[in-house]
Amino acid sequence: MSDTRRRVKVYTLNEDRQWDDRGTGHVSSSFVERLKGISLLVRAESDGSLLLESKISPNTAYQKQQDTLIVWSEADNYDLALSFQEKAGCDEIWEKICQVQGKDPALDITQDPIDESEEERFEEIPETSHLVELPPCELSRLEEIADLVTSVLSSPIRREKLALALMSEGYIKKLLGLFRVCEDLDNREGLHHLYEIVRGVLFLNKAALFEVMFSDDCIMDVVGCLEYDPALVQPKRHREFLTKTAKFKEVIPITDSELRQKIHQTYRVQYIQDIILPTPSVFEENFLSTLTSFIFFNKVEIVSMLQEDEKFLTEVFAQLTDEATEDSKRRELVNFVKEFCAFSQTLQPQNRDAFFKTLANLGILPALEIVMGMDDLQVRAAATDIFSYLVEFSPSMVREFVMQEPQQTDDDVLLINVVIKQMICDSDPELGGAVQLMGLLRTLIDPENMLASTNKTEKTEFLSFFYKYCMHVLTAPLLANTAHDKNPKDLQEGSTKINPVCPDNFQTAQLLALILELLTFCVEHHTYHIKTYIMNKDLLRRVLVLMNSKHTFLALCALRFMRRIIGLKDEYYNRYIIKGNLFEPVINALLDNGTRYNLLNSAIIELFEFIKVEDIKSLIAHIVDNFYKALESIEYVQTFKGLKGRYEQEKDRQSQRLNRYRRDARSLDEDEELWFNDDDDDDDGEAVEKRMEDDFSDSYGKYMEAKKGAANGANGANNNGKAAAIPPSSPAVTPNNSSTSSVKTVALPSTPVVKTALVGLVDYPDDEDEEEDEEEEEQSPRKRPRLSS
């Protein structure tokens, strides 16, 4: 359907009393058999799917607002709104609704559903009566009017009737005329009644009344009435603030008078809702839903009108980036763009997409690059807020922009580097701005929100860019504050163990904690890039210097960084940690902490507990070999005894595995036979046993390869190295061409009959002593005394 009169946006009110857009489509009204009645149908203009199917119930209260809105409730907490592109379409559907309900289309409201108690209470009111009878609008009757307005708030039907009465007699303007009289006479009692009346009329929650009350000639008097709250000793000076303090600044002159009026109105109504009216109670929270809707749709209209004025926005960005623009002017321009972005949050998704694309085309990101680097704190803060809107809307759009930058600029003025420097140089003692910027950086470098379907290379390209051009800027404060840890002799001269390079300054410590949090995030999500960076820069060693910091939270951040690395169970990382002896600062921190049972103590023990439970063998061997003597006295947890137990189990297992290789007759080949024969030599046997003890984790395979090479070299080129498999009844045979071989030619130890399926050991009487020796060797690791625990 191409008829623009029927083009609508469908909104629903969410739990936070904000309007959510459900899509744009075309509305029609027709009989729906399933619903047994005339219904409103909205089909999406994109794919024709059904966005809305709502039966026009005789008892549902529909409201027509601002000529292009129809609002109603389908259930207790389910409000709907249709926003029409054209007034004619709204009028057409409104007539259909009124026709089904038997109402006069000239009215802007249809009757609320009436429960039985209300029907009984008001059954004396004739059906033909549409109005509540209002007292004459006179000073002497203000108390009576206030009582009437207050009394109807508990009854939906009476609220409707009172709203009709107030509209039909132009009563609002008469009341506001009395306000001016009361104020001239300083009639406090009358002014207090007028406060109750105006507050009550707002709580009637009727858009038609709002249109009158918030018009240019009435709104300041409404604000004036609301100044005279009876609970206050002195009236508030809201009008003075709105007219004198809150100045409307046109950064670029707005030529459209309707747009200017709409901006003024929206600001003032928002002020009434947020500042003047008290926070509604649980029973009043729905009284101002229409006021919220009024502000919401005003903002939608303002953003749409500004966005359509391309000349206006082009001029805004031109002045924003012009070096000749005065600082005060630039501050106003940045604040305007910030508020403009805030208003855009009211737009439906497809319109919000168009809005941010318009800003991107106009050069919002290059402009931010300039203003975020300025000295003015207010400008930087506003620019940060704008940047956060852009990152939350589309991280990919920001990433695409920054990846194009290196071709045309140097590293120092890259947008992401500007952001990082703002984070590093935040002057706020609590680092509020730095925390916000750190969150935005994390969003930008998060692979989870990098597009995979449309651009498969975004993750690879952006991370390569980030580590090439930006990572050194991010880690600069960390490396600078841990730069002099190379000379341990200098550290021993002081009376304390606190490392002099560790930041004692709380603000610096907080900043380093933020950087470590970001680096920890990288360890979790950027496996390859961060691993290369850590090893090239020896970054973990520098981070662990911070274990000496007097700020425990910073030591914990450093520990968390190491814990994430170990948590990956990556042998490349493990070898890096072992080679650099990087457990030493952690264990020193544990020992320096003494008997204090605090978070640092628990976190360090959890690190070792993880290594034990996950059985990370290389780290267990390193810890026990190098640090067990220092740790064995810690007995309030079983973690370190458990590590020693794992170590001993692995040592026994390796020892048994080596002996199994030596005893297993099924897998012997000719080279292994030579090895076994050669092993009769006592010296060789001792060498093998010593090597096994020195390094239990060395693979048996490597040893075998070395042994094979030695045997082959000794046997010569013509020697097959084969000492023929001999049946039990055969005598021992000497291999041919073996005069230079060191292999003994006496009876072989038990060897397999290779060519038969049944494999048995050959038992020679004169081999008993040798077998006994082998049994002793197999048992020896278990007989060897263990390290004391």
Side-chain angles (χ1 to χ4, degrees):
M1 186 186 296
S2 60
D3 185 1
T4 57
R5 289 185 306 151
R6 299 285 188 90
R7 192 165 183 264
V8 295
K9 300 171 187 175
V10 180
Y11 292 93
T12 58
L13 197 65
N14 62 28
E15 293 178 354
D16 298 324
R17 310 303 295 171
Q18 300 294 321
W19 287 101
D20 291 337
D21 169 66
R22 297 302 180 193
T24 301
H26 292 88
V27 65
S28 61
S29 59
S30 58
F31 184 83
V32 176
E33 181 66 33
R34 183 173 58 82
L35 299 177
K36 306 294 184 188
I38 300 292
S39 302
L40 296 176
L41 305 174
V42 179
R43 293 197 176 275
E45 65 180 1
S46 56
D47 56 7
S49 60
L50 199 62
L51 294 177
L52 176 69
E53 185 180 62
S54 172
K55 180 182 176 182
I56 302 174
S57 168
N59 295 323
T60 298
Y62 292 86
Q63 296 182 42
K64 183 182 175 189
Q65 301 177 9
Q66 302 181 31
D67 292 333
T68 55
L69 282 172
I70 297 177
V71 182
W72 73 99
S73 297
E74 293 238 326
D76 288 344
N77 292 310
Y78 189 63
D79 290 1
L80 287 159
L82 293 180
S83 177
F84 288 79
Q85 182 171 327
E86 295 184 9
K87 179 179 183 297
C90 182
D91 292 341
E92 187 179 334
I93 295 300
W94 182 250
E95 286 179 12
K96 175 61 73 173
I97 292 170
C98 291
Q99 181 184 337
V100 172
Q101 291 198 338
K103 303 295 181 184
D104 182 359
L107 301 175
D108 286 341
I109 44 179
T110 63
Q111 202 162 340
D112 276 343
I114 307 171
D115 58 36
E116 291 181 5
S117 61
E118 286 182 332
E119 283 182 345
E120 292 170 6
R121 203 185 314 162
F122 300 110
E123 62 185 357
E124 73 277 1
I125 301 176
E127 290 185 9
T128 55
S129 171
H130 290 295
L131 303 177
V132 168
E133 187 175 347
L134 285 165
C137 194
E138 300 170 357
L139 285 176
S140 59
R141 310 296 288 274
L142 284 176
E143 184 176 3
E144 188 180 342
I145 298 168
D147 290 342
L148 173 63
V149 172
T150 307
S151 69
V152 303
L153 294 178
S154 59
S155 165
I157 181 61
R158 296 199 71 200
R159 287 207 307 270
E160 296 291 351
K161 290 182 180 294
L162 178 60
L164 284 172
L166 291 168
M167 283 297 297
S168 63
E169 298 180 14
Y171 208 80
I172 299 291
K173 291 190 177 182
K174 294 177 184 176
L175 283 170
L176 296 177
L178 286 181
F179 164 72
R180 289 190 289 273
V181 172
C182 286
E183 199 165 39
D184 289 341
L185 298 173
D186 197 21
N187 181 351
R188 286 303 174 95
E189 186 179 357
L191 291 169
H192 290 162
H193 289 319
L194 281 164
Y195 169 87
E196 299 290 349
I197 293 167
V198 170
R199 182 171 175 272
V201 172
L202 287 173
F203 282 162
L204 292 178
N205 206 24
K206 301 303 171 190
L209 293 174
F210 292 162
E211 291 287 353
V212 176
M213 299 173 76
F214 300 148
S215 61
D216 280 351
D217 53 347
C218 291
I219 189 165
M220 295 310 290
D221 287 334
V222 169
V223 172
C225 291
L226 293 172
E227 290 178 354
Y228 291 95
D229 184 347
L232 300 175
V233 177
Q234 289 293 328
K236 295 285 187 181
R237 297 177 179 272
H238 296 302
R239 284 172 294 173
E240 184 178 329
F241 174 83
L242 289 172
T243 55
K244 295 180 181 178
T245 309
K247 293 292 185 183
F248 177 61
K249 295 176 181 177
E250 293 181 84
V251 289
I252 305 292
I254 295 175
T255 54
D256 189 335
S257 59
E258 183 185 350
L259 173 58
R260 190 187 296 107
Q261 185 274 331
K262 190 72 70 176
I263 292 171
H264 282 304
Q265 184 189 60
T266 305
Y267 177 79
R268 289 164 178 169
V269 176
Q270 186 91 58
Y271 183 86
I272 289 172
Q273 184 187 48
D274 295 344
I275 307 299
I276 301 179
L277 291 176
T279 304
S281 67
V282 175
F283 303 105
E284 297 172 336
E285 61 182 6
N286 291 324
F287 281 2
L288 294 173
S289 59
T290 305
L291 186 62
T292 304
S293 304
F294 185 94
I295 295 168
F296 173 85
F297 289 110
N298 261 19
K299 288 181 177 179
V300 170
E301 201 169 340
I302 290 168
V303 174
S304 301
M305 292 170 78
L306 282 171
Q307 191 180 342
E308 289 165 10
D309 190 344
E310 290 186 9
K311 185 178 178 182
F312 176 85
L313 288 179
T314 304
E315 184 64 24
V316 168
F317 283 99
Q319 291 199 25
L320 189 62
T321 53
D322 188 350
E323 291 182 5
T325 304
E326 294 180 3
D327 290 347
S328 58
K329 179 74 169 178
R330 199 188 311 276
R331 194 180 305 133
E332 292 172 6
L333 286 161
V334 173
N335 284 327
F336 165 78
V337 177
K338 172 189 168 182
E339 196 160 355
F340 194 30
C341 290
F343 271 40
S344 74
Q345 302 306 296
T346 61
L347 295 173
Q348 56 186 336
Q350 59 266 43
N351 286 358
R352 194 156 62 242
D353 289 356
F355 170 81
F356 281 111
K357 283 173 184 172
T358 300
L359 290 186
N361 293 335
L362 289 168
I364 182 73
L365 287 165
L368 281 179
E369 201 168 57
I370 294 170
V371 296
M372 286 187 80
M374 292 185 171
D375 295 332
D376 192 312
L377 288 176
Q378 289 185 350
V379 169
R380 288 212 308 261
T384 300
D385 289 339
I386 297 167
F387 185 64
S388 69
Y389 283 121
L390 293 169
V391 171
E392 287 166 15
F393 163 71
S394 175
S396 290
M397 181 180 78
V398 178
R399 284 192 285 261
E400 184 181 354
F401 169 77
V402 297
M403 280 192 287
Q404 294 169 355
E405 286 187 286
Q407 304 162 11
Q408 46 192 286
T409 186
D410 54 356
D411 290 5
D412 288 342
V413 293
L414 291 177
L415 178 60
I416 291 193
N417 284 347
V418 171
V419 171
I420 293 172
K421 286 173 184 174
Q422 288 306 316
M423 184 180 94
I424 292 170
C425 301
D426 187 6
S427 57
D428 177 10
E430 296 299 322
L431 294 188
V435 172
Q436 181 185 6
L437 290 168
M438 193 272 290
L440 297 176
L441 281 172
R442 184 162 56 190
T443 302
L444 286 174
I445 63 174
D446 186 354
E448 294 297 319
N449 61 46
M450 293 183 186
L451 301 176
S453 55
T454 58
N455 182 5
K456 293 183 179 179
T457 61
E458 182 184 10
K459 177 179 176 181
T460 305
E461 287 181 359
F462 181 75
L463 291 181
S464 298
F465 160 84
F466 181 78
Y467 280 86
K468 181 178 181 181
Y469 293 104
C470 308
M471 185 55 110
H472 67 279
V473 183
L474 178 65
T475 56
L478 180 65
L479 298 176
N481 279 281
T482 57
H484 305 294
D485 189 42
K486 305 284 185 179
N487 194 351
K489 293 179 182 178
D490 296 341
L491 305 183
Q492 296 170 3
E493 295 175 4
S495 58
T496 67
K497 287 196 171 185
I498 298 299
N499 191 323
V501 304
C502 280
D504 287 341
N505 178 281
F506 178 73
Q507 190 169 344
T508 307
Q510 273 192 308
L511 174 64
L512 294 185
L514 283 179
I515 293 171
L516 279 174
E517 188 177 336
L518 209 54
L519 291 174
T520 304
F521 177 86
C522 293
V523 167
E524 287 184 278
H525 295 89
H526 300 170
T527 50
Y528 165 73
H529 293 87
I530 190 68
K531 185 193 298 183
T532 305
Y533 191 83
I534 288 172
M535 293 187 177
N536 286 344
K537 297 286 185 183
D538 198 11
L539 189 63
L540 181 56
R541 178 186 305 280
R542 304 292 280 274
V543 167
L544 290 175
V545 170
L546 302 175
M547 293 296 296
N548 290 318
S549 173
K550 72 174 186 180
H551 301 287
T552 306
F553 71 86
L554 183 56
L556 285 166
C557 285
L559 184 66
R560 190 181 304 120
F561 180 70
M562 186 178 190
R563 173 67 176 80
R564 287 288 186 278
I565 289 174
I566 290 174
L568 296 175
K569 295 188 284 188
D570 184 322
E571 275 304 311
Y572 285 101
Y573 275 131
N574 293 345
R575 285 201 294 272
Y576 163 66
I577 291 169
I578 292 168
K579 184 178 178 182
N581 196 30
L582 298 180
F583 277 107
E584 185 176 1
V586 176
I587 290 169
N588 284 341
L590 176 65
L591 298 176
D592 290 344
N593 192 59
T595 58
R596 283 172 291 184
Y597 183 59
N598 53 17
L599 189 55
L600 182 64
N601 174 277
S602 298
I604 293 174
I605 288 173
E606 190 278 335
L607 173 71
F608 290 106
E609 186 69 23
F610 174 83
I611 293 169
K612 183 193 81 173
V613 170
E614 295 297 324
D615 197 15
I616 305 175
K617 294 180 175 55
S618 57
L619 296 184
I620 292 173
H622 173 71
I623 293 164
V624 174
D625 283 341
N626 293 281
F627 303 107
Y628 188 71
K629 286 186 179 179
L631 296 171
E632 64 181 337
S633 62
I634 298 176
E635 296 183 342
Y636 54 85
V637 289
Q638 297 302 305
T639 300
F640 301 108
K641 285 187 177 179
L643 284 171
K644 181 70 180 297
R646 291 270 191 188
Y647 175 87
E648 294 288 359
Q649 286 174 10
E650 179 64 14
K651 195 168 182 178
D652 288 351
R653 194 177 69 80
Q654 291 283 1
S655 175
Q656 290 170 9
R657 180 175 152 201
L658 182 60
N659 282 325
R660 275 203 305 275
Y661 273 121
R662 296 171 63 187
R663 298 278 294 175
D664 190 349
R666 290 169 296 176
S667 59
L668 298 180
D669 61 17
E670 54 270 35
D671 291 325
E672 290 173 310
E673 289 176 19
L674 291 175
W675 185 82
F676 271 113
N677 288 332
D678 203 27
D679 197 64
D680 288 348
D681 186 79
D682 290 338
D683 293 340
D684 285 355
E686 288 173 9
V688 170
E689 195 68 28
K690 187 174 188 306
R691 181 171 179 176
M692 178 202 63
E693 289 180 14
D694 288 344
D695 190 0
F696 73 88
S697 62
D698 277 354
S699 123
Y700 173 72
K702 290 181 181 177
Y703 180 85
M704 288 296 298
E705 286 294 324
K707 200 69 180 174
K708 283 180 186 177
N712 288 339
N715 289 340
N718 296 326
N719 183 15
N720 292 328
K722 194 166 186 177
I726 306 168
S729 58
S730 302
V733 179
T734 303
N736 295 331
N737 302 323
S738 61
S739 58
T740 60
S741 171
S742 62
V743 180
K744 296 179 181 179
T745 58
V746 294
L748 292 171
S750 50
T751 55
V753 181
V754 176
K755 295 184 180 179
T756 62
L758 297 173
V759 180
L761 292 176
V762 181
D763 187 14
Y764 292 105
D766 56 340
D767 282 344
E768 288 177 3
D769 293 338
E770 184 176 322
E771 287 182 12
E772 286 176 8
D773 291 340
E774 287 178 4
E775 286 176 8
E776 286 179 9
E777 288 172 5
E778 184 180 356
Q779 295 293 326
S780 62
R782 290 190 291 275
K783 294 178 180 177
R784 204 177 299 119
R786 303 186 184 187
L787 292 171
S788 61
S789 56

